[in-house]
Amino acid sequence: MSEKKTRRIWDVPDDENFYYGHTACQGCGGALAMRLALKALGTDVAVTIPACCWTIIAGGFPGHALKVPVFHTAFETAAIVAAGIKGGLEVTGRKSTISLAWAGDGGTFDIGLQALSGAAERGEDIIYAVYDNEAYMNTGIQRSSATPPGAWTTTTPAKRPNPRPKKNLMEIMAAHKVPYAATATPAYPEDLIRKFRKAKEMAGQGLRFIHILAPCPPGWKMASDYSVHSARLAVESRVFPLYEIEDGGRKYTINYWPKGIPIEEYLKIQGRFRHLFKPGGEKWLEAFKEFVEENWNQLVEKHKLTHGTTDNIPRGYYK
Amino acid sequence: MSFKKVTTGNHAVSYAVWSSRVQIISAYPITPQTQIVELLSEIVAEGKLQAKFITVESEHSAMAACIGASATGARAFTATSAQGLALMHEMLHWAAGARLPIVMANVNRAMAPPWSVWTDQNDSLSQLTTGWMQIYNESNQEVYDSVIIGYKVAEQVHLPLMTVLDAFILSHTSEPVEIHTQEEVDEYLPPYDPGEYYTIKTEDPRGYGLLTMPSDYYEFRYKVQRAHERAIEVFKKEFKNFEEVFGRKHWFFEEFMMDDADYVIVTSGSLSSDVKYAVAKLRKEKGLKVGVLKMRVVRPYPFEEVRKVLGDRKKIAVIDRNIGFGYHGVFYEELKSALYPLEKRPPVFGYIIGIGGRDVTPADIEDIIDDMLKRDEMTEIIWKGVRL
């Protein structure tokens, strides 16, 4: 017991680069993620934030709740403005500064995908992190292409919930042969911090992509103290596996073997899936399960292709 | 020593950008701009210019890359045309609002549909309210000079600047251009120093462009307008400095045969040459007291200067190679507005011509002058040479 506790303290730096005075909702997964990411990256970081919840969270004029500079930009430009900032820092003699694009799922999966694709393909020397709360939460919970199947949003009401599977952005990034792509959630802070550290160490190798599942209590219709809990359930039920893709899309590594708890445990705590458990909701529940199952099985196969076995996947490591 | 080089308008831009020691170039290909950045990419690849060249996937991203780079204090450049400029529109507002002194060359090309690659001014004039300064050019020499003056002014008032050249007539046509040595340009244009303006620095972490309430937003806009007003004075100073270093005179507009002119043709861009030719001919053949005012800087608009030279003329004709749909030609509408405060002001007639690269000849200009002489009452716009 004491050994584990020691390791945890050692892995999560005490530095706080995210101050009080921010305007995130209670239990905001995106705020937790930024706090942890900056613990990993330190303060020699220039952050680019497009239109997203973080436009608000960082604080309104003249407030600024981060210990790093933030350039706010238009919705679809996070990746390219971060690349422009990186270029500017380089030509003005500040090569060591990390350029971090920090965007929501709308600004990444949808409107920002073109600029992200361009930056990824060209190998821009930036870290791109998406804090994915699975809908347009800042404008009041509208469907994005990151919304999971069957989910309620204000544009996919319970009578006609989101009909399509969530876009697999990790695969899209892998197809761009980025040097590093990883998933993370604030429910596994050491894992998230390790991944940001790794992305930082890979400076100069191209675009490093980190996909963070960021629970959103108001948007997911759950209590604010369920934020970390729900992210943990998402991992344990295989809805959101923790894994990394390295070596230009060739090497897949599952970081943690989930317990495989029933998916219902994850869904039932969220109001956005309530209709799945009412009459007529079975087909959406099935669709969701099928989506999770398929993703997981493919991922396990890819891990096997890389490592020849699944025995090397840590089980219970994070408990 | 400077030297004369026979070069196209596009390459004149590239040479000026090279001499301006631009640090970040980001662009996306579009006819007829592409040669500007092709030559620049060669110059950068050969190591002649210490710059980073970002080959983006859209014009929107080209402007966004310049914005990011400029926000760190680097000197940034891009070039575009027509659809590309329209795609950039959102980021044009961003560049101006963030007070970033980016310089861009826009090659005037008609907007689709229907598709056209030939010149007219609707693309750049659609961007007049974005906060960008705009300079129009008649010759490749003016194009070259405008880039260098552009950085000098932009970096003092912290506003972006667009220099505008006509598709093909300037962009792809070779003329002798006096190209200056690096030393000469360095003497005029020092490295970019953001001064009191904040740039991205990790040792001084600030938020840029963050959410601003109505209690403060208004003042941000006011300051952009004030910067434009200040730019008038900075332009005056820099035109003078430019003349001292390079020996060429620039002003908000060029006056041609204006001293005793009763009638004035207001024009812009490359068709000014046809206008000058026609005016000189009419003076010689008919003794008609007619002159030309060629507009160059239209943002900021030089109200005082324009009123001073045009106020006491008998008649003015404005030639627009653009159409502000549902209204008038843009230069026409702006000139009328500028003259309005005068107690006694001449009638102004607005002619539309040459849209989509339709050829404009000195004979067309003579027709326009004839038409103007016959008219007494001001009217809505007059279309020249429409074939139906």
Side-chain angles (χ1 to χ4, degrees):
Chain A
M1 272 311 283
S2 62
E3 195 192 321
K4 278 179 190 167
K5 205 176 172 186
T6 310
R7 194 192 65 234
R8 214 166 267 187
I9 290 167
W10 181 72
D11 271 358
V12 180
D14 289 338
D15 312 339
E16 291 295 354
N17 301 323
F18 178 28
Y19 293 125
Y20 50 83
H22 69 81
T23 55
C25 306
Q26 288 184 5
C28 173
L32 286 172
M34 176 69 98
R35 179 178 170 223
L36 295 169
L38 289 183
K39 279 175 182 285
L41 297 178
T43 55
D44 195 15
V45 181
V47 184
T48 303
I49 297 181
C52 60
C53 290
W54 256 95
T55 306
I56 315 295
I57 297 170
F61 176 83
H64 181 55
L66 292 173
K67 211 174 171 178
V68 291
V70 171
F71 191 84
H72 292 273
T73 187
F75 215 161
E76 63 278 51
T77 60
I80 183 60
V81 169
I85 286 174
K86 183 65 191 175
L89 291 167
E90 268 175 43
V91 298
T92 53
R94 292 167 284 171
K95 288 198 165 69
S96 67
T97 301
I98 296 284
S99 183
L100 168 68
W102 184 268
D105 48 297
T108 304
F109 286 66
D110 290 346
I111 196 170
L113 188 59
Q114 175 179 321
L116 173 59
S117 171
E121 166 274 319
R122 291 191 304 274
E124 297 291 353
D125 187 11
I126 63 171
I127 300 175
Y128 191 107
V130 49
Y131 65 101
D132 173 12
N133 47 31
E134 302 196 318
Y136 289 87
M137 297 311 187
N138 201 28
T139 45
I141 324 169
Q142 292 82 34
R143 175 198 188 271
S144 77
S145 60
T147 303
W152 164 91
T153 68
T154 59
T155 51
T156 50
K159 279 184 181 164
R160 190 176 52 82
N162 183 39
R164 296 284 300 159
K166 182 184 173 97
K167 189 188 278 181
N168 193 333
L169 197 59
M170 285 290 284
E171 284 300 308
I172 293 174
M173 297 319 289
H176 283 76
K177 306 205 176 296
V178 295
Y180 186 62
T183 63
T185 100
Y188 297 81
E190 291 165 289
D191 177 72
L192 188 147
I193 285 174
R194 182 181 66 79
K195 285 168 176 171
F196 270 92
R197 280 183 178 147
K198 198 164 179 176
K200 182 182 178 179
E201 282 159 16
M202 294 175 86
Q205 296 180 33
L207 186 144
R208 290 87 75 201
F209 180 79
I210 299 181
H211 180 183
I212 304 163
L213 183 71
C216 169
W220 291 12
K221 300 289 171 205
M222 62 181 187
S224 57
D225 58 356
Y226 271 16
S227 196
V228 170
H229 180 55
S230 62
R232 187 166 287 261
L233 293 180
V235 173
E236 293 288 19
S237 62
R238 299 169 176 165
V239 170
F240 189 81
L242 297 175
Y243 65 105
E244 291 165 298
I245 309 172
E246 292 164 279
D247 197 14
R250 294 184 191 91
K251 188 179 162 196
Y252 281 69
T253 306
I254 298 173
N255 304 119
Y256 171 62
W257 187 271
K259 287 201 191 73
I261 60 166
I263 289 168
E264 287 85 347
E265 281 192 38
Y266 169 67
L267 300 176
K268 274 185 170 168
I269 60 166
Q270 302 175 49
R272 64 174 173 154
F273 294 116
R274 187 181 298 144
H275 54 281
L276 269 57
F277 303 98
K278 287 182 177 167
E282 303 82 5
K283 65 167 184 173
W284 295 113
L285 185 60
E286 269 320 298
F288 191 98
K289 284 183 172 175
E290 203 178 295
F291 156 74
V292 171
E293 182 86 5
E294 192 181 323
N295 273 354
W296 171 252
N297 288 341
Q298 285 179 4
L299 191 59
V300 169
E301 288 308 314
K302 284 170 182 162
H303 180 97
K304 275 192 207 159
L305 270 175
T306 302
H307 300 274
T309 173
T310 56
D311 293 345
N312 64 339
I313 303 172
R315 288 155 211 256
Y317 176 82
Y318 294 108
K319 276 302 283 180
Chain B
M1 277 298 289
S2 66
F3 61 96
K4 286 249 179 184
K5 188 173 171 65
V6 176
T7 191
T8 62
N10 277 345
H11 285 174
V13 173
S14 314
Y15 290 125
V17 168
W18 177 8
S19 305
S20 299
R21 294 189 188 272
V22 166
Q23 294 165 295
I24 293 276
I25 300 159
S26 180
Y28 186 77
I30 183 169
T31 302
Q33 165 282 121
T34 314
Q35 296 171 336
I36 297 176
V37 293
E38 280 177 344
L39 180 57
L40 280 170
S41 68
E42 271 178 44
I43 291 168
V44 172
E46 285 167 12
K48 293 173 182 168
L49 174 62
Q50 295 298 314
K52 193 176 159 75
F53 195 104
I54 307 177
T55 53
V56 283
E57 79 299 329
S58 75
E59 288 90 350
H60 195 279
S61 285
M63 182 47 61
C66 288
I67 287 169
S70 186
T72 68
R75 188 173 281 167
F77 173 82
T78 187
T80 190
S81 194
Q83 311 299 129
L85 185 67
L87 183 61
M88 278 181 189
H89 177 74
E90 179 191 27
M91 300 320 285
L92 297 184
H93 282 280
W94 214 283
R99 305 297 299 277
L100 301 171
I102 298 161
V103 170
M104 161 164 66
N106 179 65
V107 183
N108 261 157
R109 163 181 158 179
M111 296 295 299
W115 279 116
S116 168
V117 293
W118 295 276
T119 196
D120 76 38
Q121 300 166 322
N122 263 53
D123 58 348
S124 54
L125 293 175
S126 299
Q127 310 302 338
L128 282 178
T129 58
T130 53
W132 281 63
M133 299 186 282
Q134 287 198 5
I135 305 184
Y136 287 78
N137 301 294
E138 182 192 354
S139 67
N140 292 348
Q141 185 71 58
E142 285 183 355
V143 168
Y144 175 85
D145 293 354
S146 69
V147 173
I148 297 165
I149 297 174
Y151 277 111
K152 190 76 187 280
V153 174
E155 288 171 4
Q156 289 178 64
V157 295
H158 288 268
L159 288 174
L161 181 141
M162 186 189 304
T163 186
V164 182
L165 56 152
D166 301 38
F168 300 107
I169 302 170
L170 292 184
S171 71
H172 286 61
T173 306
S174 293
E175 296 184 330
V177 175
E178 193 165 359
I179 306 282
H180 290 271
T181 60
Q182 189 64 61
E183 292 70 37
E184 285 171 306
V185 178
D186 283 348
E187 189 193 331
Y188 177 74
L189 182 67
Y192 174 36
D193 173 15
E196 72 206 34
Y197 275 77
Y198 296 116
T199 53
I200 293 171
K201 287 192 185 94
T202 53
E203 63 273 24
D204 181 22
R206 291 173 186 277
Y208 297 84
L210 26 74
L211 179 74
T212 302
M213 296 295 149
S215 55
D216 295 302
Y217 180 90
Y218 190 66
E219 282 69 23
F220 279 93
R221 299 288 105 171
Y222 172 77
K223 285 182 175 178
V224 172
Q225 173 68 7
R226 288 288 295 154
H228 269 272
E229 288 160 15
R230 200 166 75 248
I232 291 280
E233 299 312 312
V234 175
F235 263 116
K236 285 180 186 168
K237 182 182 82 183
E238 291 307 333
F239 287 149
K240 196 161 165 277
N241 287 342
F242 190 91
E243 192 182 348
E244 278 168 21
V245 177
F246 301 99
R248 284 188 301 280
K249 216 175 163 63
H250 290 279
W251 191 239
F252 299 102
F253 39 74
E254 185 198 334
E255 296 175 63
F256 178 81
M257 295 189 162
M258 282 284 280
D259 288 348
D260 62 343
D262 292 329
Y263 308 101
V264 179
I265 315 301
V266 176
T267 175
S268 59
S270 65
L271 66 75
S272 308
S273 305
D274 299 279
V275 179
K276 287 176 182 171
Y277 181 87
V279 161
K281 188 172 164 228
L282 287 177
R283 274 208 178 240
K284 198 174 163 195
E285 290 176 1
K286 297 186 184 169
L288 194 66
K289 287 188 174 175
V290 57
V292 182
L293 188 87
K294 178 186 81 190
M295 293 301 296
R296 297 217 45 218
V297 179
V298 300
R299 286 292 181 279
Y301 197 88
F303 289 105
E304 282 307 315
E305 292 72 18
V306 165
R307 282 176 200 139
K308 214 185 287 174
V309 295
L310 291 182
D312 54 0
R313 310 289 173 170
K314 281 188 183 155
K315 283 182 190 176
I316 296 170
V318 182
I319 295 180
D320 273 297
R321 195 171 215 158
N322 65 79
I323 172 67
F325 291 122
Y327 202 49
H328 289 157
V330 175
F331 284 88
Y332 177 45
E333 131 200 355
E334 297 211 329
L335 185 72
K336 282 187 294 175
S337 171
L339 296 181
Y340 190 77
L342 296 176
E343 216 166 286
K344 196 179 141 294
R345 49 185 182 269
V348 188
F349 304 95
Y351 295 87
I352 307 291
I353 199 166
I355 290 196
R358 177 79 58 89
D359 195 25
V360 178
T361 65
D364 296 328
I365 307 299
E366 285 181 48
D367 285 352
I368 286 175
I369 295 170
D370 270 354
D371 186 87
M372 171 187 68
L373 292 174
K374 282 181 212 148
R375 289 177 188 269
D376 291 315
E377 294 290 303
M378 274 175 66
T379 173
E380 311 306 336
I381 47 171
I382 304 148
W383 288 77
K384 190 78 190 83
V386 178
R387 293 199 300 261
L388 289 174

